[in-house]
Amino acid sequence: MNTDQKLDLILSEITGIKTDVHKIKSQVSGIEDTIEVIKTDITELKAEQTAMKQDISDIKAEQAV
């Protein structure tokens, strides 16, 4: 194997690695987007839970009267 062939092989491997890195970056970006959606859902659930706790407190207060 001469020098040009070796360089072509190295270039081919580097190109493959770059492709893999781009795929990984895309996947990570997708995961980040999913995490943001989950965070939003959790925030909404917390707000609903707080409202439910307030409703329960109100009902308890009404029953105590």
Side-chain angles (χ1 to χ4, degrees), residues 5 14 26 35 38-39 41:
Q5 290 171 324
I14 289 173
S26 177
I35 288 172
I38 292 170
K39 283 180 177 180
D41 289 348

Side-chain angles (χ1 to χ4, degrees), residues 1-7 9-10:
M1 184 178 282
N2 65 32
T3 303
D4 286 341
Q5 290 171 324
K6 289 178 184 178
L7 289 174
L9 181 61
I10 291 170

Side-chain angles (χ1 to χ4, degrees), residues 26-39:
S26 177
Q27 290 172 343
V28 168
S29 179
I31 291 169
E32 288 173 341
D33 292 342
T34 301
I35 288 172
E36 286 304 314
V37 170
I38 292 170
K39 283 180 177 180

Side-chain angles (χ1 to χ4, degrees), residues 45-64:
L45 285 171
K46 285 180 178 180
E48 290 174 11
Q49 180 186 23
T50 300
M52 289 172 59
K53 284 181 178 181
Q54 185 60 51
D55 291 346
I56 291 168
S57 293
D58 293 346
I59 291 168
K60 285 181 180 180
E62 288 173 9
Q63 289 179 349

Side-chain angles (χ1 to χ4, degrees), residues 4-20:
D4 286 341
Q5 290 171 324
K6 289 178 184 178
L7 289 174
D8 287 342
L9 181 61
I10 291 170
L11 180 60
S12 175
E13 290 296 319
I14 289 173
T15 301
I17 292 169
K18 285 176 73 173
T19 299
D20 291 344

